[in-house]
Amino acid sequence: MSAILLAEDDESVRAFVTRALTHRGHEVTAVGDGEAAIAALKAQTYDLMLTDIVMPGLDGLALAETAARINPRMTVLMMTGFADARERADGVRSQQGPVADIITKPFSLQQICNAVDAALSGQRN
């Protein structure tokens, strides 16, 4: 079982991913924005953070940078449905930052679980 922080502003996606990962035996803390994610990161240590890239206020890229300073050993997975956001995230990822993979929305339950499993096992896609 791993401790996972999920930062996603879309309530239905947040609920879907939380259910899927909890069903797989993970402990999931789900928050609706980047500021709440930072507060959670300061309160607890997580094995993995799964974050949407496009969120109001603090976006997923800025959140990943801040998270890397708070917990440099934590793996980060990003999700997006926007091609331009994926391009920006790929740029951050190519610098060998904390981002293990970028998942394109919409995704299936199996795709998100496989991506989380791969990230937790240290595989970079």
Side-chain angles (χ1 to χ4, degrees):
M1 179 171 85
S2 296
I4 298 174
L5 175 60
L6 170 62
E8 168 61 63
D9 61 316
D10 183 310
E11 188 175 333
S12 61
V13 174
R14 193 169 59 241
F16 171 76
V17 173
T18 298
R19 277 193 310 272
L21 297 178
T22 301
H23 182 68
R24 295 282 286 245
H26 299 294
E27 177 187 315
V28 180
T29 300
V31 297
D33 60 49
E35 294 297 331
I38 289 176
L41 287 166
K42 290 179 179 178
Q44 179 180 336
T45 300
Y46 295 93
D47 302 301
L48 180 130
M49 180 175 69
L50 177 58
T51 181
D52 190 8
I53 295 174
V54 179
M55 293 186 292
L58 186 68
D59 72 8
L61 295 172
L63 174 57
E65 286 181 24
T66 302
R69 288 191 297 272
I70 295 170
N71 182 355
R73 294 182 182 194
M74 181 180 62
T75 301
V76 177
L77 278 177
M78 295 189 149
M79 324 175 260
T80 189
F82 298 98
D84 63 327
R86 184 177 178 97
E87 275 185 32
R88 289 185 300 129
D90 277 333
V92 170
R93 194 169 162 238
S94 68
Q95 299 167 7
Q96 288 299 314
V99 180
D101 199 3
I102 304 159
I103 303 151
T104 302
K105 292 178 182 178
F107 47 76
S108 69
L109 176 116
Q110 191 62 48
Q111 288 170 315
I112 195 71
C113 289
N114 288 347
V116 167
D117 290 346
L120 288 169
S121 70
Q123 300 171 17
R124 291 179 76 92
N125 292 327

